Amino acid sequence: DMDAFYASVELRRHPELAGLPVVVGHPGSRSVVLAATYEARAFGVHSAMPMMQAMRRCAGLVAVPPDHAAYAEASREVMAVLRAVTPEVEPLSLDEAFLDVSGAVRRLGSPREIASHIRSRIRDEQQLPCSIGVASTKFVAKLASARSKPDGLLVIPRESVLAFLHPLPIGALWGVGDKTEAALTAIGLHKIGDIAATPVSTLVHTLGKAAGMQLHALANGQDPRRVSPDEPDRSI
């Protein structure tokens, strides 16, 4: 998962802005923030925030107009690095992808070594930071990448999945938005471990069959989905 991707690409193009609070977006009253550096996030600025609100939160904020062609080209460069490791690459968007590296272990080393290799190549060749989560399932790998930001690497061994998951808030689970979180909190569930310990029948009664069964499986570290390299990009 690339860190603050649009903003990082702009910093690569404008190194004089390094260390400053920077956002990508048109500096107009009707614009929104497309990406924010971590210096800007320290002021509470985040993507999808109205630009005027971001400017009020951070007086020294620098707004850079977006260049989508540059972001698409940077994405192609990054995906080329990933596909040099394994053909089993499933892009989620311009700046994020799942990899199944099981076939690359003999050639490139352990999953941790492969992740370190990827981060080093992207840093050296594209001058861009990224965060990587390594786990036995897509869900846990995705969660680990989020917990390792910015510019980090987190490996969750198979035997440590539940110890990693269960202390986390229920909002960390895929599929738990505001309404679902409110429904789960109303029946006394606050941590992922609470969901794992709750009978499936209770979750199904509260959320419906599909959502209840899915969240119970995820809370117990179960995610059978495979990396699908033929999946199209989900968003731009």
Side-chain angles (χ1 to χ4, degrees), residues 21-36:
V22 176
V23 295
V24 175
H26 294 286
S29 60
R30 302 180 67 180
S31 179
V32 297
V33 174
L34 298 181

Side-chain angles (χ1 to χ4, degrees), residues 106-150:
R106 180 176 298 180
R107 178 168 56 94
L108 296 176
S110 70
R112 179 185 290 276
E113 290 172 324
I114 293 172
S116 295
H117 167 74
I118 291 171
R119 292 183 66 239
S120 296
R121 277 200 61 183
I122 292 175
R123 170 67 74 180
D124 294 344
E125 297 175 18
Q126 280 74 47
Q127 293 82 53
L128 295 171
C130 68
S131 297
I132 301 181
V134 181
S136 55
T137 65
K138 292 171 76 172
F139 162 61
V140 178
K142 164 71 172 170
L143 199 51
S145 73
R147 308 300 283 193
S148 68
K149 284 184 171 292

Side-chain angles (χ1 to χ4, degrees), residues 5-6 9 12 67-79 94 236:
F5 183 54
Y6 289 4
V9 173
R12 183 175 70 174
D67 183 342
H68 293 285
Y71 311 145
E73 177 57 29
S75 176
R76 284 190 288 271
E77 295 170 357
V78 169
M79 294 300 169
L94 283 180
I236 296 178

Side-chain angles (χ1 to χ4, degrees), residues 15-213:
E16 71 277 7
L17 298 179
L20 300 178
V22 176
V23 295
V24 175
H26 294 286
S29 60
R30 302 180 67 180
S31 179
V32 297
V33 174
L34 298 181
T37 62
Y38 286 89
E39 290 82 0
R41 295 182 192 188
F43 290 89
V45 176
H46 57 79
S47 59
M49 174 179 283
M51 186 65 74
M52 294 305 293
Q53 182 181 349
M55 293 288 188
R56 287 194 296 269
R57 289 197 177 191
C58 180
L61 194 66
V62 179
V64 180
D67 183 342
H68 293 285
Y71 311 145
E73 177 57 29
S75 176
R76 284 190 288 271
E77 295 170 357
V78 169
M79 294 300 169
V81 171
L82 303 184
R83 292 189 174 101
V85 171
T86 173
E88 301 296 316
V89 177
E90 178 184 339
L92 295 184
S93 60
L94 283 180
D95 64 339
E96 188 174 8
F98 284 116
L99 283 73
D100 181 346
V101 299
S102 57
V105 170
R106 180 176 298 180
R107 178 168 56 94
L108 296 176
S110 70
R112 179 185 290 276
E113 290 172 324
I114 293 172
S116 295
H117 167 74
I118 291 171
R119 292 183 66 239
S120 296
R121 277 200 61 183
I122 292 175
R123 170 67 74 180
D124 294 344
E125 297 175 18
Q126 280 74 47
Q127 293 82 53
L128 295 171
C130 68
S131 297
I132 301 181
V134 181
S136 55
T137 65
K138 292 171 76 172
F139 162 61
V140 178
K142 164 71 172 170
L143 199 51
S145 73
R147 308 300 283 193
S148 68
K149 284 184 171 292
D151 197 18
L153 166 61
L154 180 59
V155 179
I156 308 297
R158 188 184 301 270
E159 63 274 14
S160 302
V161 165
L162 297 184
F164 168 70
L165 282 178
H166 286 182
L168 298 179
I170 57 177
L173 278 175
W174 267 345
V176 177
D178 292 340
K179 290 184 178 180
T180 301
E181 184 171 1
L184 293 172
T185 301
I187 60 172
L189 307 183
H190 302 280
K191 303 291 186 183
I192 292 179
D194 298 335
I195 297 176
T198 299
V200 176
S201 57
T202 301
L203 297 174
V204 168
H205 177 75
T206 303
L207 304 174
K209 183 176 181 179
M213 294 182 68

